[in-house]
Amino acid sequence: MNLDKRIGWLKAGSLITIGFGLLIAVAAIPALNYPVAVLTDLIYFPADGATAIGAPGERLLWAITGGVMAGWGAMMYLVATELLPKDPPLGRRLILISIVTWFVIDSSMSVAAGAPLNLLGNLGFLLVFVLPLKGLG
């Protein structure tokens, strides 16, 4: 895979990350939390409607988590477009350290929280960023 394709893949992954972060952030607004409520219910399989979201503290955490995720996606977009073409080893290292740190913490704590199915979604995000960096730099 040439560098332009790698960058394109990383840009797409970054935009998906930003979009997912925005989706999570709007779950802080009760009238807009339905998509995240459904996703949360699916993660805590079986999907039975028993997993509700909406307590004030939980809504605050949705807002913070979504904002952090969108900001992280924006940072990875800039690394992919501005840094990776100039310094592939540094760009690769920044993205890999970031995504692996997130994956280990998010996945292990999801399992600890009784939501091991979240690991599957996390694997998708991990692959979107790791595969285009394989063999680079």
Side-chain angles (χ1 to χ4, degrees), residues 45-77:
F45 193 80
D48 55 9
T51 306
I53 64 173
E58 190 173 348
R59 291 195 340 257
L60 174 62
L61 291 177
W62 286 115
I64 293 168
T65 302
V68 169
M69 190 162 195
W72 179 41
M75 185 273 310
M76 288 193 291
Y77 187 94

Side-chain angles (χ1 to χ4, degrees), residues 57 66 81 88 96 100 107 111 117:
T81 59
L96 283 178
V100 169
S107 297
V111 171
L117 286 178

